């Protein structure tokens, strides 16, 4: 993201997601519940929307979309 010039927008994302995925790229369910991960990502999107003056309500739909798609 830094290479794309988006580093300022996503400050702290890597730190907040550290350890969430295993070395093979799969989600580490033993470290964090998937619903908690989705909630964290939604909060990050809302925070980004607020900073950029975007539609926070659009970010609100992320969690519901993921839950419907993955049956959670």
């Amino acid at each position: 993201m830094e290479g794309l010039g988006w580093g300022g927008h996503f400050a702290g994302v890597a730190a907040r997601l550290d350890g969430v995925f295993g070395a093979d790229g799969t989600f580490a369910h033993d470290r964090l519940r998937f619903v908690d991960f989705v909630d964290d990502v939604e909060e990050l999107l809302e925070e980004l929307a607020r900073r950029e003056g975007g539609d926070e309500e659009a970010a609100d739909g992320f969690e519901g979309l993921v839950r419907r798609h993955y049956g959670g």
Side-chain angles (χ1 to χ4, degrees):
M1 290 185 192
E2 187 67 42
L4 295 171
W6 296 354
H9 298 293
F10 296 97
V13 171
R16 289 174 75 174
L17 299 180
D18 187 39
V20 174
F21 295 93
D24 62 355
T26 58
F27 184 77
H29 291 276
D30 60 328
R31 296 182 198 145
L32 180 69
R33 294 181 331 148
F34 187 70
V35 294
D36 293 335
F37 168 72
V38 171
D39 187 48
D40 286 349
V41 171
E42 181 181 43
E43 287 177 23
L44 288 169
L45 291 172
E46 289 172 352
E47 183 179 311
L48 179 61
R50 278 191 296 275
R51 264 197 315 233
E52 295 299 310
D55 184 3
E56 190 176 330
E57 292 298 316
D60 270 341
F62 175 78
E63 185 175 6
L65 174 73
V66 171
R67 286 181 186 227
R68 283 191 304 277
H69 184 73
Y70 292 102

